[in-house]
Amino acid sequence: MYEYELRKYANDIFESENFKSTKAYIQHGNMSVREHSINVAKASLYIRDKLKIRCNTRDLVRGALLHDYFLYDWHKSDALNPHRLHGFFHPSRSLQNAQKEYNLTARQRDIIIKHMWPLTVIPPMCREAWIVTSADKFCSLMETLYIHRGRIHNGKKKKYAIANVSSHKIA
């Protein structure tokens, strides 16, 4: 479910080497950043549909996929950054990385930079950003509590589904 919209609006993102590289970084629990970003995009579309919210679907999908485009393993310190305050600083890093590769709209920038609200202090300014922020909180909670499991669990692939939002068919 939702694969058509994801491919329609973000095929270039899925084909990006940088986006593909996010498969190597763990986000929450045992969920990769790539899987988390896809889950957030699908959950955002689900929220849009369930609440019948009119919004720009292209911006919603692209912003959701790029909201955690920080391109590093935040669990490990490196020479440039100890990542101690990752929750506060990764939205700006994600925005910088996304702007290097894509022509972002104002809505997409708002989604990326404000998705960690209230840590970002200034709240989202558009519907799309509020939807992604909510979807991100939901997915993060499910992943952290291992209710929503990543594909790798104890060395084996697992399938999972939450409200038919997160079955993975996107390569």
Side-chain angles (χ1 to χ4, degrees), residues 21 36 51 67 93 97 100 103 121 129 140 144 148:
S21 78
H36 168 74
L51 299 180
H67 81 281
R93 181 89 172 260
N97 290 335
K100 288 177 188 174
N103 292 320
V121 183
S140 297
T144 300
H148 192 176

Side-chain angles (χ1 to χ4, degrees), residues 27-66:
Q27 180 64 329
H28 309 107
N30 62 347
M31 185 76 59
S32 73
V33 174
R34 181 182 181 280
E35 287 177 300
H36 168 74
S37 298
I38 293 169
N39 287 340
V40 170
K42 289 180 178 183
S44 295
L45 292 168
Y46 182 80
I47 291 168
R48 175 205 65 184
D49 292 349
K50 283 297 175 187
L51 299 180
K52 297 177 175 48
I53 299 171
R54 289 186 341 188
C55 66
N56 184 307
T57 301
R58 182 178 190 277
D59 287 344
L60 182 71
V61 167
R62 294 180 74 79
L65 289 172
L66 296 171

Side-chain angles (χ1 to χ4, degrees), residues 123-170:
M125 301 304 287
C126 62
R127 290 179 193 149
E128 295 82 359
W130 279 109
I131 293 168
V132 172
T133 297
S134 301
D136 183 46
K137 303 285 184 265
F138 173 76
C139 290
S140 297
L141 177 65
M142 296 296 106
E143 294 162 11
T144 300
L145 297 177
Y146 290 95
I147 293 168
H148 192 176
R149 293 186 176 156
R151 286 187 175 252
I152 307 261
H153 184 70
N154 294 332
K156 297 180 181 178
K157 286 191 175 188
K158 291 270 187 174
K159 290 193 175 187
Y160 54 86
I162 292 182
N164 294 324
V165 172
S166 51
S167 61
H168 285 279
K169 291 185 181 172
I170 295 179

Side-chain angles (χ1 to χ4, degrees), residues 3-14 45 48 56-59 61-62 65:
E3 282 81 12
Y4 172 77
E5 287 176 292
L6 294 181
R7 284 288 181 194
K8 178 181 178 182
Y9 296 115
N11 199 50
D12 61 326
I13 293 172
F14 290 117
L45 292 168
R48 175 205 65 184
N56 184 307
T57 301
R58 182 178 190 277
D59 287 344
V61 167
R62 294 180 74 79
L65 289 172

Side-chain angles (χ1 to χ4, degrees), residues 15-27:
E15 298 303 320
S16 158
E17 290 304 316
N18 278 332
F19 189 77
K20 288 177 184 176
S21 78
T22 63
K23 188 187 282 188
Y25 306 127
I26 296 298
Q27 180 64 329

